């Protein structure tokens, strides 16, 4: 699918290049265009308390916000998805909702319906039933924990998957819930189709167990501090965890994972948070540790002046870097123009480093978002040469039991049946005694609807 490019193209003679770079000024969309926010002022908008209090959590609240600017057919479509398909409950901060249909001027009843249906941010933040595939809504090999992270928990919430790196899931909530969330089995509240996993240990005990494991495991040097989203942890608790983490001599890299830098930048602009980040950054520098933020933006529309201010505040506070890890999603950004528009807006205006684009993981009801490995390879080719080399993101496939692999690293590829084969050069924490782990080939599966007719017929017989 080709996505409509939201960055204006240069006027005049047609460019000789497939992509024409044009820097555009960041603008905060006018939130008062929505009836429910008609009287909201700048002070309220920039308040994190107001943003959190006015998140859209259900269909009723969305109706109160948009009114009749969106037809009932959309609301009914959303209600059916929430009841039959959604793996994540609805939670959208005003900041993120305001970047949906930002260029369409409301003109009366139903005037935003088509724009909302087509909007790339809406497509992954507020999925509707008609977005989903009806032939193969889920791949036969889809699973709730598609990356088997829980199988690799060293202690509750601490995934030891790579030899020198761990993922610390500090909490199971976020300020916003993305429809394609790879941790849909743990993060957020249960939905009609997913009864969520729950941590058993108390938060203090879980964090203590993580730190104790890291003290006992000197080969780990890199910790991704995530969840959920660390923006949902009160800053004093997060700073205490970081302080104790930085006391471990073998830790050299710490990455804070927060989509809230894009979805709720007001959180990271709070003076007490900025001051706390400065303290943590100074402590990290003094101990020779790299402290960075990894955020998650999927489309250029999401990058606004507030996002740029929040990123700048974090860098000015002393973080080594702010990097973006997006997800490659059909109908959102599976187009070279959309990817390059996003990368340039991140790099030029928000001081955020384009880093990775992950292929969407094989969770239930995600087939309408997923693209094939072959399509991902084409996209990697198409974006090369425009961005600086250090800021050209890699498109990666997170292969179950293997880990992140650049999409050109596959060992073999059956394009008819959409099965790619991958090898690895290290054992995960559950393969310590497996002598064949490094010689085995691991499979990843393309969406069935992208396959040629013979391949679709094969899956119809065997899927």
């Amino acid at each position: 699918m080709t996505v409509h490019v939201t960055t204006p193209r240069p006027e005049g003679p047609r460019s000789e290049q497939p992509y024409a770079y044009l820097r555009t000024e960041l603008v905060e969309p006018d939130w008062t265009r929505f009836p429910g926010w008609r009287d909201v002022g700048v002070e309220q908008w920039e308040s994190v308390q107001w943003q959190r209090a006015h998140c859209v959590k259900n269909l009723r609240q969305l109706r109160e916000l948009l009114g009749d600017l969106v037809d009932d057919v959309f609301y009914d479509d959303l209600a059916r998805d929430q009841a039959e398909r959604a793996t994540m409950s609805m939670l959208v901060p005003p900041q993120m909702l305001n970047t949906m249909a930002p260029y369409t001027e409301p003109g009366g009843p139903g005037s935003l319906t088509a724009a909302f249906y087509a909007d790339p941010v809406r497509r992954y933040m507020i999925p509707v039933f008609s977005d989903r595939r009806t032939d193969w809504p889920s791949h036969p090999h889809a699973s709730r924990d598609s990356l088997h992270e829980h199988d690799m928990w060293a202690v509750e919430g601490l995934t030891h998957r790579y030899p020198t790196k761990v993922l610390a899931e500090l909490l199971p909530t976020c300020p916003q819930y993305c429809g394609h969330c790879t941790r849909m089995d743990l993060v957020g509240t249960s939905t009609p189709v997913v009864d969520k996993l729950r941590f058993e240990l108390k938060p203090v005990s879980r964090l203590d167990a993580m730190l104790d494991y890291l003290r006992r495991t000197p080969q780990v040097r890199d910790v991704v501090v995530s969840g959920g989203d660390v923006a949902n942890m009160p800053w004093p608790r997060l700073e205490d965890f970081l302080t104790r983490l930085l006391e471990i001599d073998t830790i050299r890299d710490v990455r804070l994972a927060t989509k809230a830098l894009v979805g709720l930048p007001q959180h990271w602009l709070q003076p007490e948070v900025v001051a706390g980040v400065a303290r943590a950054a100074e402590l990290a520098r003094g101990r020779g540790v790299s402290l960075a933020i990894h955020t998650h933006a999927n489309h250029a529309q999401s990058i606004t002046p507030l996002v740029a201010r929040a990123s700048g505040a974090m860098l000015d506070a002393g973080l080594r870097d702010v990097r973006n890890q997006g997800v490659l999603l059909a109908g959102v950004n599976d187009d070279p123009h959309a990817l390059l528009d996003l990368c340039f807006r991140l790099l030029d205006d928000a001081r955020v480093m384009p880093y990775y684009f992950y292929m969407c993981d094989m969770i239930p009801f995600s087939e309408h978002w997923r693209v094939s490995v072959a399509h991902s390879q084409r996209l990697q080719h198409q974006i090369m040469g425009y961005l600086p080399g250090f800021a050209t993101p890699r498109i990666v496939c997170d292969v179950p039991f293997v880990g992140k692999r650049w999409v050109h690293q596959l060992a073999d590829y059956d394009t008819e049946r959409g099965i790619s084969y991958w090898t690895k050069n290290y054992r995960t924490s559950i393969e310590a005694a497996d002598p064949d782990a490094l010689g085995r080939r691991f499979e990843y599966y393309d969406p069935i609807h992208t396959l040629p007719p013979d391949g679709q017929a094969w899956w119809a017989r065997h899927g």
Side-chain angles (χ1 to χ4, degrees), residues 302-355:
S302 297
I303 311 306
T304 75
L306 275 168
V307 173
R309 278 174 51 192
S311 175
M314 295 296 95
L315 291 168
D316 294 345
L319 292 187
R320 172 172 175 169
D321 214 344
V322 178
R323 309 179 186 109
N324 184 62
Q325 296 187 146
V327 179
L328 190 61
L329 300 166
V332 176
N333 57 19
D334 63 326
D335 173 282
H337 284 190
L339 289 181
L340 288 168
D341 284 348
L342 171 57
C343 291
F344 278 119
R345 193 166 291 188
L346 288 166
L347 196 61
D348 288 350
D349 299 299
R351 300 164 61 188
V352 176
M353 186 71 66
Y355 179 42

Side-chain angles (χ1 to χ4, degrees), residues 115-176:
F116 256 74
Y117 264 115
D119 189 79
V121 178
R122 193 283 307 164
R123 285 182 65 85
Y124 73 91
M125 289 303 303
I126 309 179
V128 294
F129 189 86
S130 63
D131 291 337
R132 315 267 185 180
R133 302 291 309 183
T134 55
D135 48 1
W136 295 97
S138 298
H139 195 280
H141 288 282
S143 64
R144 290 172 45 129
D145 181 16
S146 62
L147 303 179
H148 303 277
E149 289 180 335
H150 300 160
D151 296 332
M152 302 177 201
W153 276 1
V155 298
E156 187 178 76
L158 187 74
T159 300
H160 191 169
R161 186 181 186 189
Y162 301 99
T164 62
K165 301 181 287 186
V166 296
L167 166 70
E169 298 170 274
L170 299 194
L171 72 171
T173 63
C174 296
Q176 68 284 300

